[in-house]
Amino acid sequence: MPDAEKRATHFIEDMIDEDNRSGRWGGRVHTRFPPEPNGYLHIGHAKSICLNYGLAEKYGGEFNLRFDDTNPIKEEQEYVDSIVRDVRWLGARWTAMRDDDPNAGVLFASDYFQQMYDLAVLLIRKGRAFVCDQSPEQVAEFRGTLTSPGRNSPYRDRSVAENIELFERMRRGEFPDGSRTLRAKIDMAHPNLNLRDPVMYRILHASHHRTGDEWCIYPMYDWAHGLEDSIECITHSICTLEFENHRPLYDWYINAINEGNPAPIHHPQQIEFARLELTHTVMSKRKLLELVRGGYVRGWDDPRMPTLSGLRRRGVTPEAIRAFCADIGVAKFNSTIEIVRLENAVRNDLNLRAQRRLAVLRPLRVVIENYPEEKVEELDAVNNPEDPSAGTRKIPFSRIVYIERDDFREDPPKDFFRLAPGREVRFRWAYFITCKSVIKDAAGQITELRCTYDPATRGGDAPGGRKVKSTLHWVSAERSIPAEVRLYDHLFSVPNPEVDAPGGDYKANLNPASLVVLSDCRLEPSLATVRIGDRFQFERLGYFCVDPDSTPGRLIFNRTVTLKDAWIKIEKGRAR
RNA sequence: UGGGGAUUAGUGUAAUGGUAGCACGACUGGCUCUGGACCAGUUAGUCGGGGUUCGAGUCCCUGAUCCCCAGCCA
């Protein structure tokens, strides 16, 4: 990734540096991202992708995208497609990737099923695996507990010949689901429960999204995963902390295969790191699925979701996500990142590239009494003060304009220096405006402001250097266009929705104000020609992007993130 | 009465026996045609207790706390 910045090395880089010094892998670095296609990718996966791809890139190595598709019951092609799309969007480049074929170079564990099967037969021949007829309940009962040893399965000492025959019959489909398993013969008293004769294969008469009905036995993750990495000659198998307990089992499998083997298989080094946790959201696939299925959000790509598709629809750029991942670091400490860090990365990125526009979300009508009725002026506005090459555009100014209701106070509190009766402010790129009077309806609601403008301040500067305390955004009433704007806030109203869950239900912490739809917004006319996905800064408000729900006649914008707002901070401080 | 990990400002993350630094947050101030951005400053930390050493976040001993593991899920 081109935007990798200079920073201290983390522990995995230190390990690779050490490997390179010792010549362990001959200078080779080969990583992979191994998702199970049973859900959509989220920001936590982005951390793993950035880590794995980033290492391959940094060390001139290779990076595989491989699906860990060993459980047909939970996996679907829809998820495969979305994951390929998201990894590509994030900017990772896998080995043999092509831009004209989405699936080129994508790898699948299911392509290795026969090799895995052959290796399982090898372990049976070596007396290291056996077919077990225990029921799932019996297996659990015989496993023992955390503090007490298990007992051997009564089927543990079957002959090699019988095991081979039964395993072949399992594959042929002669037995019902759950009736038999293939298990490794290790140690039922081992303090690490993963080594108490773990199941290697289970019978599953289920159709697989890629292999169809070719198989009715499927390898367990622990058996399959290490072999996948071995087959692909992965050097550094990077995974999350909870698999630390499994590493001895992967090592056992490969050692058992290689013992006395004239053609030993590759033995990758597994390294564990802490997965990403974020405040004000949830990250487990199960809970995200529940939010989608339960209608709590509008889908996997709801802009409030931490999914990559949600973030993309929200207007977050892949560059911002990569910068965020680089910023938070990699370690073995189970930490929770404050979501403002992500928001900050988004602002930093968009500040530099998003063009500025004027948009009024909650319009308040303003009549400029001394401005001619029919006159319209095209005023010059800078597109991006951070990027002179973005140029300028014209904005029409006229007698009647809209400003933000929040930008006027009839009785302004201290430190409020926006518009108020008798006060002069600047209209961005236009004129100095003074509020002369306030018009209200019968209910006492402000419906209109009557103001005057100073013709000498055209463009926004006073000739004598006269200052105003604030600059407001505005749009011409007649020459602006309507739009719907969707304001998003944190999905959950508390930092740790799973920990502080009333009644044990994290959903009780859903933020009722996470989506606010404003349907009467007014935009400057240059926005009439935008395309879906285009991003802008609406000055003084935040960053917004065009939602796919937009139609030619009706523009819909999503608020990606607000600008920092010093005034809100002052107000909140006063409330306290 | 198990095994495996972890613990540095509010939140993260560096420091690999030698000045505890950085980012975000918070708070000041400056600047500004976005109360944005930018600039300057302030705040605040090595889980506890022993030990080794001229010197310990780092090494040793000993406690504490937190996370993971008893799916034919991954």
Side-chain angles (χ1 to χ4, degrees):
Chain A
M1 300 183 186
D3 48 340
E5 50 184 72
K6 202 170 167 190
R7 51 166 167 59
T9 60
H10 54 69
F11 78 103
I12 299 179
E13 292 169 315
D14 293 344
M15 289 174 83
I16 293 175
D17 288 337
E18 180 52 35
D19 289 343
N20 285 162
R21 260 191 299 276
S22 70
R24 180 174 184 188
W25 306 108
R28 213 162 59 80
V29 173
H30 198 154
T31 59
R32 101 268 99 129
F33 175 61
E36 183 190 16
N38 68 342
Y40 279 63
L41 258 31
H42 54 61
I43 182 80
H45 295 110
K47 178 181 180 182
S48 174
I49 296 164
C50 289
L51 207 211
N52 279 289
Y53 176 64
L55 288 171
E57 193 183 39
K58 171 177 177 179
Y59 291 95
E62 293 198 63
F63 169 74
N64 291 358
L65 172 57
R66 181 189 68 231
F67 285 92
D68 210 330
D69 53 346
T70 58
N71 184 356
I73 292 169
K74 291 187 175 178
E75 298 157 7
E76 295 175 22
Q77 187 61 39
E78 178 199 348
Y79 296 131
V80 172
D81 296 339
S82 76
I83 289 169
V84 170
R85 193 186 319 130
D86 287 347
V87 173
R88 186 184 294 270
W89 175 76
L90 229 206
R93 311 277 312 175
W94 57 86
T95 299
M97 174 177 175
R98 289 221 318 257
D99 293 328
D100 59 350
D101 174 3
N103 297 312
V106 176
L107 304 172
F108 295 86
S110 49
D111 287 338
Y112 313 142
F113 280 173
Q114 184 61 47
Q115 285 177 77
M116 294 174 186
Y117 179 87
D118 293 342
L119 288 168
V121 171
L122 175 68
L123 286 198
I124 294 173
R125 290 228 160 83
K126 287 182 163 197
R128 303 296 205 108
F130 66 99
V131 172
C132 181
D133 301 358
Q134 285 188 311
S135 68
E137 296 72 28
Q138 286 172 315
V139 170
E141 186 194 334
F142 276 58
R143 183 155 31 228
T145 71
L146 293 176
T147 51
S148 65
R151 286 132 63 208
N152 285 351
S153 161
Y155 307 97
R156 200 174 195 261
D157 295 317
R158 288 217 253 234
S159 70
V160 168
E162 187 183 5
N163 281 322
I164 294 278
E165 190 208 328
L166 284 171
F167 189 47
E168 282 174 354
R169 292 175 62 197
M170 279 170 63
R171 179 185 183 170
R172 262 184 262 129
E174 295 187 19
F175 309 121
D177 288 2
S179 60
R180 285 186 164 83
T181 57
L182 182 73
R183 299 175 67 182
K185 197 186 291 185
I186 307 180
D187 178 3
M188 288 306 291
H190 199 104
N192 180 344
L193 269 54
N194 294 128
L195 282 91
R196 314 245 263 229
D197 291 6
V199 172
M200 296 167 65
Y201 277 90
R202 76 282 214 189
I203 301 172
L204 243 38
H205 290 270
S207 202
H208 185 279
H209 61 102
R210 300 198 82 239
T211 61
D213 297 320
E214 187 184 343
W215 294 87
C216 65
I217 58 172
Y218 290 91
M220 295 289 292
Y221 175 86
D222 281 341
W223 168 243
H225 197 82
L227 295 181
E228 294 158 27
D229 285 343
S230 174
I231 289 165
E232 295 175 12
C233 290
I234 299 302
T235 53
H236 304 271
S237 301
I238 297 167
C239 63
T240 46
L241 253 25
E242 70 269 28
F243 295 106
E244 210 149 17
N245 292 330
H246 298 240
R247 181 163 18 106
L249 177 54
Y250 307 147
D251 291 341
W252 186 93
Y253 279 138
I254 291 188
N255 289 336
I257 290 165
N258 284 346
E259 213 172 81
N261 192 335
I265 64 171
H266 173 72
H267 193 156
Q269 155 90 56
Q270 174 167 298
I271 305 167
E272 305 85 9
F273 73 100
R275 60 152 33 101
L276 171 65
E277 298 288 351
L278 266 186
T279 62
H280 300 280
T281 190
V282 294
M283 211 71 96
S284 90
K285 283 190 195 173
R286 203 205 95 233
K287 293 194 176 86
L288 294 176
L289 215 208
E290 186 180 11
L291 294 175
V292 172
R293 294 228 169 118
Y296 298 96
V297 294
R298 296 181 174 186
W300 285 103
D301 69 343
D302 188 298
R304 293 167 290 185
M305 292 280 273
T307 51
L308 295 185
S309 50
L311 292 165
R312 176 169 58 230
R313 185 168 183 177
R314 175 98 170 228
V316 173
T317 63
E319 290 84 356
I321 293 177
R322 282 188 250 137
F324 169 72
C325 289
D327 184 47
I328 58 176
V330 178
K332 297 193 72 152
F333 178 60
N334 256 311
S335 59
T336 302
I337 308 289
E338 293 171 334
I339 201 163
V340 295
R341 297 279 293 272
L342 175 60
E343 294 164 357
N344 193 63
V346 173
R347 286 190 192 100
N348 281 341
D349 182 49
L350 261 18
N351 176 46
L352 298 177
R353 46 207 300 205
Q355 290 206 4
R356 274 57 170 173
R357 293 293 183 271
L358 301 186
V360 175
L361 268 31
R362 298 175 176 89
L364 172 60
R365 183 180 154 95
V366 173
V367 177
I368 299 160
E369 293 178 319
N370 60 339
Y371 197 86
E373 295 265 358
E374 303 302 326
K375 186 173 178 183
V376 175
E377 286 181 278
E378 296 286 337
L379 301 167
D380 289 311
V382 171
N383 281 330
N384 185 351
E386 304 293 330
D387 176 14
S389 74
T392 63
R393 68 185 185 287
K394 299 285 188 184
I395 310 178
F397 184 79
S398 58
R399 186 169 197 264
I400 301 175
V401 301
Y402 294 120
I403 66 167
E404 210 67 63
R405 297 198 84 95
D406 287 349
D407 284 339
F408 176 80
R409 290 288 182 86
E410 192 171 15
D411 183 18
K414 183 177 177 296
D415 294 330
F416 182 91
F417 41 80
R418 277 114 90 145
L419 198 58
R423 188 178 289 178
E424 182 176 54
V425 298
R426 174 189 294 111
F427 277 12
R428 181 79 155 153
W429 310 121
Y431 291 100
F432 284 16
I433 304 287
T434 302
C435 178
K436 294 298 184 186
S437 59
V438 180
I439 314 285
K440 296 180 184 176
D441 63 15
Q445 289 294 307
I446 298 172
T447 57
E448 182 179 300
L449 264 27
R450 309 293 290 196
C451 299
T452 60
Y453 84 114
D454 178 355
T457 58
R458 188 176 196 276
D461 283 307
R466 184 167 94 246
K467 299 286 187 195
V468 287
K469 291 275 280 184
S470 83
T471 299
L472 307 187
H473 60 278
W474 55 275
V475 295
S476 160
E478 195 178 337
R479 298 283 299 277
S480 58
I481 57 175
E484 173 179 317
V485 173
R486 299 172 179 172
L487 305 180
Y488 298 102
D489 196 357
H490 301 151
L491 223 203
F492 292 88
S493 48
V494 298
N496 300 298
E498 291 153 300
V499 179
D500 306 311
D505 184 7
Y506 72 98
K507 295 193 298 302
N509 288 318
L510 280 162
N511 177 7
S514 62
L515 170 61
V516 172
V517 177
L518 302 177
S519 47
D520 299 312
C521 309
R522 306 293 304 188
L523 316 177
E524 66 164 82
S526 72
L527 288 166
T529 56
V530 297
R531 288 183 304 200
I532 285 165
D534 284 355
R535 304 181 187 90
F536 299 93
Q537 183 195 99
F538 290 171
E539 292 213 31
R540 304 208 305 130
L541 296 174
Y543 297 95
F544 295 78
C545 76
V546 183
D547 189 84
D549 284 350
S550 297
T551 58
R554 178 149 192 84
L555 280 178
I556 300 173
F557 278 84
N558 294 319
R559 185 174 70 193
T560 309
V561 66
T562 61
L563 252 29
K564 285 187 191 167
D565 190 335
W567 169 241
I568 280 186
K569 214 182 274 182
I570 292 168
E571 265 192 320
K572 275 185 184 164
R574 218 193 300 281
R576 253 186 263 120

